[in-house]
Amino acid sequence: MLQNEMTGGEALVRMLQAHEAGPMFGMGGFQLLPFYDAARRLGLNHNLINDERCAVFAADAYAKVSNRVGLVDATLGPGATNLVTGLVEALNAGSPMVAIIGDAHRDHAGKNMTQETDQVSILRPACKELLKIETIHRIPEIIRRAFAIATSGRPGPVVVNVPEDIAHGTYNFEPEDFEVDGTHASMPALRCRPDAEIAAKAAALIAMAKRPMMLCGGGIHLSGAQEEVTRLAESCSIPVAHTLTGKGSIACSNPLSAGLFGRYDRIANDMIAQSDCLLVVGCKLGEIATKRYTIPEGNVPVIHLDIVAEEMGRTYQPALKLWGDAKSGLSDLYGLLEITASDQRQMRQEYIAEVPRKMAAWREDVSERLTSEETPVHMARLITEINKLLPEDGYLVADGGFAAHWGGLLFDTKKAGRAFVPDRGFASIGYGLPGAMGAQLASPEAIVVGLTGDGGFNMVLGELETARRMKLGVTIIVVNNAASGYVKALQHLMYGDGAYQSSELSETNYADVANAMGCHGVRVESPDQLEAALLSAFAEKDRPSVVDVVVTRDPARMLPAVDNRTVKVKKGDRVA
């Protein structure tokens, strides 16, 4: 039976449980000790992390895979400020999250309390909203609001600031205080439709187009609109290209899939240049997607469908703005276009036949690299093996830097859905391991692979202990090039061979490191070792595996293609 008098910390736990939220990651401190005690007594799924930034990364990936609210907590001062990088990732990526942070006792605030800082001012721009709890009895109200904000509109992280005296104080709560609206336990909690008149104009533009394309971003996954993308594309014969976060909007194996567009692409950029109508959905058209604002070119009409009005026109002025939820908006467009769908398919028969033909030609062009037998292992061959061995329901979590770019370009989803999980909201490195942990918790039976560079892995090595303690059978592939690879490659392109500053790492055998930490470690030095190494890692269900793959040390070959920001672009530089 619920005891009415309880600490503020216990009220926080009960509100999280009322939302059926979890798991939660954090590192405790005095300010939130009643919260931790209640978590122990009431059975909240709370897990100690070794670095608060990794707590947010894990919660972020959990949210992206499960579509539920990620949870994290941190103590006063350095604990709270360590959340900043991960919170900005979640904010930019649209990941629903609630972060509870302890703060100073209000009777002593401003008197040089240990670890005290103006954390509210530091964290406010890193989250969708920061809520301060000033009185104990308002805890249920504030937590309800936090979940509502986190899951509505474009989802995002909400920080709840809890002073020490609020967490340690007591109040006589009533059982009905902990009633919640289950709608806000997952995203998207609420949907809105674009204006009907503008949707009709958009449908008319699409229907008349001879070479339309759909450009999909991560908003497709936030809205759960993958089926709507596929239905509209197949019904009206519209090829689909995607951003790094939009991979899986349509299955990569679908003959209408034009693959990645932007800085690195297969065939999509050329097709965009020849298109006469672009339907952009859930995509911010940022630097990478637009190849530093050079795509699309000319005056091709753009129809932009997005839940965030201010994203439309930020980098490219659309002909029509459809303000609303991607799933609802695509469903409305399908209803309007279905009447003439047969005519559209007939008109575009030759056009859509180009997509698989061009894709096959691209594969033939890069086949030597996709199946390369060279030593050290070619990145294209590594992704080819992942494509071959990762099951349809598996996940590839890609760290920032070149891990995300190689994965985004070459990894193929076998069905529509978010099987590729990159941290492109902020593109911080260090996401691969904690992100894989969060994805594994969201999908316990799936095979989850984290792809990370050695630089990113060095940042978060301590979380191997966390993954081992939690008995998570994640597979972490360390792309070992003994360098901060993206930076070294850019230095090579900008300044020439040998002009490297602070971009090289010590040669390290990460398989040995993993084995020393009680995990499963295996080193791969040649491509013929890849399959056995990956399968042995996939077989580990109760502890993490590290597959240390030795790749090229040549900075001229570290990127999938020449980066468009560099000045030394040579004719013939191609992908992979």
Side-chain angles (χ1 to χ4, degrees):
M1 182 177 178
L2 178 65
Q3 298 296 315
N4 286 358
E5 185 173 1
M6 65 185 72
T7 65
E10 180 172 335
L12 289 168
V13 171
R14 290 191 179 277
M15 282 303 296
L16 296 182
Q17 291 182 319
H19 283 92
E20 299 181 354
M24 190 170 196
F25 298 92
M27 184 183 295
F30 178 74
Q31 287 73 25
L32 291 179
L33 280 186
F35 173 78
Y36 273 64
D37 182 63
R40 172 187 60 82
R41 290 185 289 104
L42 300 178
L44 179 70
N45 182 4
H46 188 283
N47 303 278
L48 171 65
I49 204 82
N50 284 302
D51 184 282
E52 291 90 350
R53 183 180 64 144
C54 292
V56 196
F57 284 161
D60 177 83
Y62 172 84
K64 285 172 177 168
V65 172
S66 69
N67 289 330
R68 297 185 62 80
V69 177
L71 294 180
V72 64
D73 69 272
T75 190
L76 166 72
T81 58
N82 277 348
L83 301 178
V84 170
T85 299
L87 286 174
V88 177
E89 166 64 34
L91 177 66
N92 291 351
S95 301
M97 189 180 300
V98 171
I100 294 175
I101 59 171
D103 203 350
H105 194 298
R106 289 175 299 169
D107 283 347
H108 309 303
K111 298 180 179 179
N112 292 322
M113 291 281 287
T114 302
Q115 299 186 317
E116 183 183 11
T117 187
D118 187 2
Q119 61 190 38
V120 167
S121 295
I122 294 170
L123 292 176
R124 194 181 296 278
C127 60
K128 187 176 179 183
E129 182 115 27
L130 189 144
L131 304 174
K132 294 190 290 183
I133 300 181
E134 300 287 1
T135 57
I136 297 176
H137 73 271
R138 292 190 67 189
I139 287 176
E141 171 200 342
I142 298 298
I143 297 300
R144 270 193 294 269
R145 179 161 173 75
F147 274 81
I149 294 170
T151 57
S152 302
R154 179 164 72 188
V158 178
V159 174
V160 180
N161 195 73
V162 185
E164 174 190 316
D165 52 302
I166 297 292
H168 286 255
T170 60
Y171 181 76
N172 288 313
F173 289 97
E174 297 298 329
E176 55 268 26
D177 291 334
F178 300 97
E179 294 177 358
V180 301
D181 179 358
T183 302
H184 294 291
S186 59
M187 67 170 185
L190 303 170
R191 297 185 188 272
C192 60
R193 312 193 90 87
D195 179 82
E197 184 177 343
I198 299 177
K201 291 179 180 178
L205 271 180
I206 295 168
M208 292 186 297
K210 296 180 179 179
R211 301 180 65 87
M213 283 192 72
M214 201 182 323
L215 307 183
C216 294
I220 297 298
H221 299 306
L222 299 180
S223 178
Q226 299 92 343
E227 288 186 12
E228 282 69 24
V229 170
T230 303
R231 181 176 66 172
L232 181 61
E234 292 180 343
S235 174
C236 299
S237 293
I238 304 174
V240 179
H242 59 77
T243 63
L244 287 163
T245 55
K247 181 181 285 290
S249 297
I250 191 172
C252 291
S253 56
N254 192 301
L256 289 170
S257 173
L260 187 69
F261 72 95
R263 180 177 294 167
Y264 308 120
D265 81 310
R266 303 185 185 188
I267 64 172
N269 289 357
D270 288 341
M271 292 193 66
I272 291 171
Q274 298 171 28
S275 176
D276 56 358
C277 182
L278 296 172
L279 173 60
V280 177
V281 188
C283 175
K284 292 181 281 190
L285 291 177
E287 177 197 357
I288 292 177
T290 61
K291 201 172 183 180
R292 192 158 268 207
Y293 318 109
T294 61
I295 297 173
E297 299 177 359
N299 297 315
V300 55
V302 170
I303 302 162
H304 199 160
L305 168 59
D306 205 286
I307 191 67
V308 184
E310 54 265 34
E311 294 298 352
M312 298 181 285
R314 187 194 293 267
T315 62
Y316 194 97
Q317 190 60 42
L320 292 172
K321 299 177 181 179
L322 295 177
W323 183 17
D325 171 70
K327 184 183 179 78
S328 298
L330 289 172
S331 180
D332 288 351
L333 288 175
Y334 173 79
L336 292 165
L337 290 165
E338 185 183 16
I339 303 169
T340 60
S342 177
D343 294 336
Q344 292 178 68
R345 288 195 300 272
Q346 184 174 0
M347 175 175 62
R348 298 170 188 149
Q349 281 182 346
E350 293 184 10
Y351 169 51
I352 63 167
E354 294 177 15
V355 183
R357 187 169 65 247
K358 288 180 176 180
M359 193 66 79
W362 173 85
R363 289 187 184 280
E364 178 63 27
D365 185 42
V366 300
S367 61
E368 182 180 344
R369 280 153 280 188
L370 294 174
T371 59
S372 172
E373 294 291 337
E374 69 184 67
T375 301
V377 176
H378 197 292
M379 277 296 298
R381 173 64 185 275
L382 171 60
I383 306 297
T384 296
E385 293 297 319
I386 295 173
N387 279 333
K388 182 175 73 173
L389 299 174
L390 191 66
E392 181 181 87
D393 60 353
Y395 294 89
L396 179 64
V397 180
D399 212 324
F402 70 85
H405 293 289
W406 279 101
L409 176 63
L410 299 178
F411 177 66
D412 288 326
T413 61
K414 299 175 176 67
K415 61 179 181 179
R418 203 200 297 249
F420 181 64
V421 187
D423 66 325
R424 297 310 303 174
F426 206 31
S428 170
I429 62 173
Y431 189 90
L433 171 55
M437 293 163 56
Q440 189 73 79
L441 288 165
S443 187
E445 301 304 317
I447 292 176
V448 176
V449 175
L451 183 67
T452 182
D454 41 5
F457 191 57
N458 286 341
M459 289 183 171
V460 299
L461 263 171
E463 303 312 335
L464 271 183
E465 183 276 329
T466 309
R468 178 188 168 203
R469 174 173 18 101
M470 295 179 66
K471 297 183 177 180
L472 296 177
V474 295
T475 295
I476 306 302
I477 299 175
V478 179
V479 179
N480 189 334
N481 56 14
S484 179
Y486 205 96
V487 174
K488 188 174 182 180
L490 291 178
Q491 288 176 341
H492 176 82
L493 288 166
M494 292 291 291
Y495 307 113
D497 190 27
Y500 312 125
Q501 174 61 48
S502 303
S503 59
E504 295 176 315
L505 300 171
S506 299
E507 290 283 353
T508 303
N509 186 321
Y510 293 98
D512 286 347
V513 173
N515 288 321
M517 296 182 70
C519 305
H520 171 67
V522 57
R523 189 170 174 87
V524 172
E525 297 179 327
S526 61
D528 60 296
Q529 299 172 338
L530 278 169
E531 181 172 349
L534 289 173
L535 291 177
S536 71
F538 294 171
E540 295 283 342
K541 301 300 182 183
D542 297 318
R543 61 173 179 166
S545 298
V546 173
V547 180
D548 183 28
V549 181
V550 179
V551 299
T552 184
R553 267 64 178 156
D554 180 358
R557 307 182 69 221
M558 287 180 179
L559 297 182
V562 172
D563 191 289
N564 58 287
R565 293 171 297 186
T566 65
V567 295
K568 296 187 177 182
V569 180
K570 305 178 185 68
K571 184 178 180 180
D573 280 319
R574 272 300 284 170
V575 72

